Amino acid sequence: MAFLKQAFAGPFHVPGALILYAAALILSGWLHYGVEYALETEAWGAMPSAVENTIRLGRDLAIVVIAALVMPIAFGMLGRDLARPLWKVGVPGEALRRFFSLWFLMNLLLVTVSRITGRLVEADSPLAGLMIGLTIILYATYIMVGAAIMYHGGFGTESISKAVTPLVREFAQTGLLLLVALFTVLVALFTDIDTDNISWLWHAPVSGVLSAVLECVIFCGAWIICMTSQETPDDDLDF
């Protein structure tokens, strides 16, 4: 339990990172629900479905870019504090340069899989259950994997396999962290907001702050796992 205690304390040791991350989630929430509200209430007038889908696509890409800009910086600040003085990647400039593409691709994958899953559910496809399970797994593990890649310091096919090795080696701690991650997914599902009224204006900040704390805890936990694993003699990580 000391491991989880350290993981939960991590985000509050760097309040600037937590505030930045929470602000990004709140902005993304307002953007997501605001567009849905405008389309569902026809605030911008009646539109063909193709136009609505194009607007949603632009909205989703904007959210992916926001995440890709903020996650390297906020997570870099948390990682630098936890691994001081070993992790020497500069924040924000160098962290953004190194890891923008990592978080852009990861968030793009999440959004794409989520949209495909939503379409399959609407069509009552027999593949919907499988895709729902895949979506939950992706949302529960992507921050852990991203943290391991950042700690390793590289982003490539060979470096990814080496980076995630600590998550496998320290399976007991990873299992505990996965429970926190699954709880975070449940929180996101149960705090989803109905967009037929303007309640999203104040619900989005509440869910955004809660998600920010939990997701930063997951990052810190994965980072601590990597630090623990580095102490074993066969672990060769490149800073």
Side-chain angles (χ1 to χ4, degrees), residues 35 39 44 47 50-60:
V35 168
L39 293 177
W44 298 331
M47 298 179 184
V51 175
E52 290 187 355
N53 289 336
T54 300
I55 292 174
R56 287 188 173 98
L57 176 61
R59 182 269 317 273
D60 290 345

Side-chain angles (χ1 to χ4, degrees), residues 146-236:
I149 293 172
M150 284 186 67
Y151 186 86
H152 183 72
F155 179 40
T157 305
E158 183 177 341
S159 60
I160 290 175
S161 62
K162 182 183 285 188
V164 299
T165 298
L167 300 177
V168 178
R169 179 180 294 132
E170 308 295 334
F171 63 91
Q173 292 182 337
T174 300
L176 286 174
L177 192 60
L178 187 58
L179 292 177
V180 177
L182 288 172
F183 175 74
T184 304
V185 174
L186 290 176
V187 167
L189 290 174
F190 284 107
T191 57
D192 196 21
I193 302 167
D194 196 354
T195 54
D196 60 357
N197 58 63
I198 60 171
S199 63
W200 53 270
L201 282 172
W202 54 85
H203 284 168
V206 174
S207 62
V209 169
L210 181 57
S211 294
V213 171
L214 290 172
E215 290 178 16
C216 285
V217 166
I218 294 168
F219 177 87
C220 289
W223 200 265
I224 293 166
I225 289 172
C226 292
M227 292 170 61
T228 301
S229 181
Q230 188 189 5
E231 297 175 0
T232 58
D234 60 335
D235 199 3
D236 180 23

Side-chain angles (χ1 to χ4, degrees), residues 2-13:
F3 156 70
L4 284 181
K5 183 178 179 180
Q6 187 180 0
F8 272 91
F12 300 99
H13 290 163

Side-chain angles (χ1 to χ4, degrees), residues 17 20 67-78 91-93 95-96 103 150:
L20 175 63
L69 288 171
V70 171
M71 293 175 91
I73 298 173
F75 288 164
M77 293 167 68
L78 292 173
V91 180
L96 188 59
W103 292 109
M150 284 186 67

Side-chain angles (χ1 to χ4, degrees), residues 3-148:
F3 156 70
L4 284 181
K5 183 178 179 180
Q6 187 180 0
F8 272 91
F12 300 99
H13 290 163
V14 193
L18 183 57
I19 291 171
L20 175 63
Y21 195 70
L25 290 187
I26 293 170
L27 175 61
S28 296
W30 278 335
L31 181 57
H32 174 82
Y33 292 112
V35 168
E36 288 301 318
Y37 176 78
L39 293 177
E40 290 181 11
T41 60
E42 296 187 352
W44 298 331
M47 298 179 184
S49 59
V51 175
E52 290 187 355
N53 289 336
T54 300
I55 292 174
R56 287 188 173 98
L57 176 61
R59 182 269 317 273
D60 290 345
L61 287 175
I63 290 173
V64 167
V65 170
I66 291 171
L69 288 171
V70 171
M71 293 175 91
I73 298 173
F75 288 164
M77 293 167 68
L78 292 173
R80 191 179 179 93
D81 180 73
L82 286 168
R84 183 183 297 142
L86 296 178
W87 203 71
K88 298 181 174 63
V89 174
V91 180
E94 188 178 358
L96 188 59
R97 179 183 61 80
R98 282 200 191 191
F99 303 115
F100 174 87
S101 58
L102 166 67
W103 292 109
F104 179 85
L105 291 174
M106 282 195 161
N107 282 280
L108 185 61
L109 174 63
L110 286 174
V111 169
T112 302
V113 172
S114 296
R115 295 295 168 256
I116 293 173
T117 301
R119 293 292 180 87
L120 291 175
V121 170
E122 290 175 2
D124 199 21
S125 169
L127 294 175
L130 178 63
M131 290 301 295
I132 289 172
L134 175 61
T135 302
I136 291 173
I137 291 172
L138 287 175
Y139 271 99
T141 58
Y142 87 108
I143 290 179
M144 297 168 63
V145 172

